[in-house]
């Protein structure tokens, strides 16, 4: 299939592009390079532009005979979404609707959408299954939920076929160390711990050690970026016009901040100083997927179930590219 990967120069999108090419598909990347990197695109053509440019996207869809779209282009930082909600409403909602309208104009009706466990908010029951009420507690989660609703309406009214994949904590890198995670500023736990292992930071701050969890620190479900990609391939194969599928993507296993830091010490062989600090506003104590529906509907199971395996791939990237991508 010819697949337009919107946000294909970003962290998850760039891993998707490699998997698409390896599976015999033809990826075409559309990215505005606001947070993505040209060097991260290791297969297919890169078109630098805005997904909100409906005329341009319509042209790209037609010229490249696109069969399906994978949409990764989003602002995805909870804290930033609280401080600057307009950025999230404009990019994650308005620009995405423009993308859907470009698709509708040329009858491209298949889309796999990156959603998030942040659409659930702070669930009372863990693990989280797809029946858990979606009550986002920040603008980021709300904008993703809004697009899930839009896709459902587009499926009913315009015969779109979609999958909304609700990621838990994406982590890891391509095992060959060629592409990986590079955010500025970095806010995610595993890259921060590995940057500390590299001596780029003095210590890791643990955001809260008095949570009601087994060791007092927050628990998350870390899922390898290539496992996310494999689920997208399976979802794309199963798209049905007029229908939608919403599934969680996680391993079903939770690990605490302390457990992750310890796993990083083991993988890297570095001491990695850690300091207990304040809770980070907006952090739910525990987010773990009930991932059974994805297994059932997509025939998908994650290959990486042990955080050490995930961290090994991230360490291969960070240690070979301590400054991330070349910013020149
Ligand atoms: N975290 C931490 N110190 C850091 C960065 C993150 O203790 O420097 C914690 C954070 O509070 C959360 C977990 O690590 O409980 C994962 O955070 P991340 O930002 O990677 O992902 P999120 O769960 O927010 O999507």
């Amino acid at each position: 299939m010819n697949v337009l990967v919107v946000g294909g120069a970003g962290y998850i999108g760039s891993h998707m592009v490699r998997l698409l090419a390896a599976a015999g598909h033809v990826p075409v990347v559309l990215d505005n390079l606001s947070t993505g990197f040209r060097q991260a695109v290791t297969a297919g053509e890169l078109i630098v532009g805005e997904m909100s440019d409906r005329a341009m996207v319509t042209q790209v869809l037609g010229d490249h005979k696109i069969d399906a779209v994978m949409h990764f282009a989003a602002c995805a930082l909870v804290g930033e979404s609280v401080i600057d909600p307009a950025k999230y409403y404009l990019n994650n909602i308005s620009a995405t609707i423009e993308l859907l309208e470009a698709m509708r104009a040329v009858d491209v009706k298949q889309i796999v959408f990156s959603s998030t466990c942040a659409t659930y908010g702070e669930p009372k029951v863990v693990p989280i299954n797809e029946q858990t009420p979606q009550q986002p507690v920040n603008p980021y989660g709300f904008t993703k939920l809004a697009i899930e609703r839009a896709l459902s309406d587009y499926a009913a009214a315009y015969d779109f076929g979609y999958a909304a994949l609700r990621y838990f904590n994406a982590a890891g890198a391509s095992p060959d160390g060629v592409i990986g995670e590079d955010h500025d500023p970095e806010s995610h736990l595993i890259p921060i711990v590995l940057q500390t292992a590299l001596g780029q930071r003095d210590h890791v701050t643990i955001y809260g050690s008095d949570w009601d969890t087994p060791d007092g620190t927050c628990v998350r479900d870390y899922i390898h970026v290539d496992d996310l990609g494999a689920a997208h391939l399976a979802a794309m194969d199963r798209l049905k016009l007029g229908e939608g599928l919403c599934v969680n993507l996680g391993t079903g296993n939770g690990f605490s901040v302390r457990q992750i830091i310890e796993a990083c010490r083991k993988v890297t062989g570095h001491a990695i100083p850690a300091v207990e600090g304040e809770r980070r506003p907006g952090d739910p104590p525990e987010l773990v997927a009930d991932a059974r529906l994805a297994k059932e509907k997509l025939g998908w199971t994650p290959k990486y179930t042990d955080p050490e395996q995930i961290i090994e791939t991230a360490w291969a990237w960070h240690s070979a590219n301590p400054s991330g991508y070349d910013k020149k």
Side-chain angles (χ1 to χ4, degrees):
M1 298 234 277
N2 297 331
V3 183
L4 184 68
V5 186
V6 186
Y11 170 43
I12 303 171
S14 61
H15 287 77
M16 188 72 245
V17 165
R18 280 165 86 81
L19 295 183
L20 280 165
H25 298 290
V26 180
V28 177
V29 173
L30 173 65
D31 201 297
N32 66 7
L33 299 182
S34 62
T35 56
F37 299 93
R38 203 174 276 281
Q39 303 98 296
V41 180
T42 55
E45 184 183 338
L46 167 64
I47 298 161
V48 179
E50 298 291 339
M51 68 175 160
S52 57
D53 185 344
R54 198 194 300 185
M56 180 274 289
V57 176
T58 305
Q59 177 101 33
V60 166
L61 291 167
D63 287 353
H64 291 81
K65 299 191 168 46
I66 296 296
D67 301 298
V69 172
M70 291 187 175
H71 175 23
F72 298 91
C75 304
L77 296 176
V78 166
E80 184 189 54
S81 79
V82 176
I83 293 163
D84 190 6
K87 182 173 174 185
Y88 283 70
Y89 283 86
L90 284 168
N91 190 54
N92 294 5
I93 300 184
S94 302
T96 296
I97 299 298
E98 293 294 342
L99 169 67
L100 297 181
E101 285 300 283
M103 292 172 64
R104 198 156 72 91
V106 285
D107 244 15
V108 175
K109 294 185 169 181
Q110 303 193 74
I111 180 163
V112 183
F113 172 62
S114 305
S115 189
T116 167
C117 64
T119 59
Y120 295 115
E122 294 178 7
K124 292 184 183 59
V125 181
V126 177
I128 299 163
N129 67 26
E130 289 77 0
Q131 268 69 57
T132 301
Q134 288 178 291
Q135 293 167 333
V137 293
N138 50 61
Y140 167 60
F142 179 75
T143 59
K144 288 288 184 174
L145 179 58
I147 296 303
E148 284 198 15
R149 295 286 155 81
L151 288 171
S152 166
D153 293 338
Y154 272 59
Y158 309 133
D159 217 25
F160 271 50
Y162 75 95
L165 305 180
R166 297 176 187 154
Y167 309 163
F168 281 64
N169 284 60
S174 180
D176 57 15
V178 172
I179 58 171
E181 193 166 5
D182 183 354
H183 297 118
D184 185 22
E186 187 53 76
S187 66
H188 294 108
L189 179 64
I190 292 174
I192 284 176
V193 179
L194 296 180
Q195 287 171 354
T196 311
L198 286 168
Q200 296 173 350
R201 296 170 187 260
D202 296 341
H203 61 266
V204 183
T205 303
I206 298 173
Y207 294 149
S209 48
D210 56 352
W211 294 97
D212 184 15
T213 57
D215 69 12
T217 68
C218 287
V219 171
R220 295 289 182 271
D221 184 338
Y222 296 88
I223 176 85
H224 194 276
V225 64
D226 280 349
D227 280 328
L228 291 179
H232 284 67
L233 287 177
M236 187 172 74
D237 278 351
R238 288 165 177 76
L239 291 174
K240 288 203 184 75
L241 295 185
E243 290 182 23
L245 175 69
C246 299
V247 292
N248 291 339
L249 295 183
T251 63
N253 301 313
F255 294 90
S256 72
V257 173
R258 281 193 217 280
Q259 286 177 309
I260 293 297
I261 295 171
E262 202 43 53
C264 289
R265 289 182 178 130
K266 250 177 109 176
V267 168
T268 64
H270 290 275
I272 312 183
V275 171
E276 291 178 10
E278 297 293 307
R279 293 181 175 189
R280 182 169 69 176
D283 267 346
E286 188 172 359
L287 293 173
V288 178
D290 176 337
R292 287 176 299 179
L293 192 66
K295 288 181 184 134
E296 185 194 313
K297 296 281 184 188
L298 303 178
W300 166 88
T301 41
K303 289 210 179 85
Y304 295 83
T305 50
D306 175 355
E308 278 180 36
Q309 296 174 305
I310 297 180
I311 292 163
E312 275 165 17
T313 66
W315 182 236
W317 158 255
H318 286 286
S319 50
N321 303 274
S323 314
Y325 290 104
D326 188 356
K327 310 290 188 304
K328 278 192 272 246

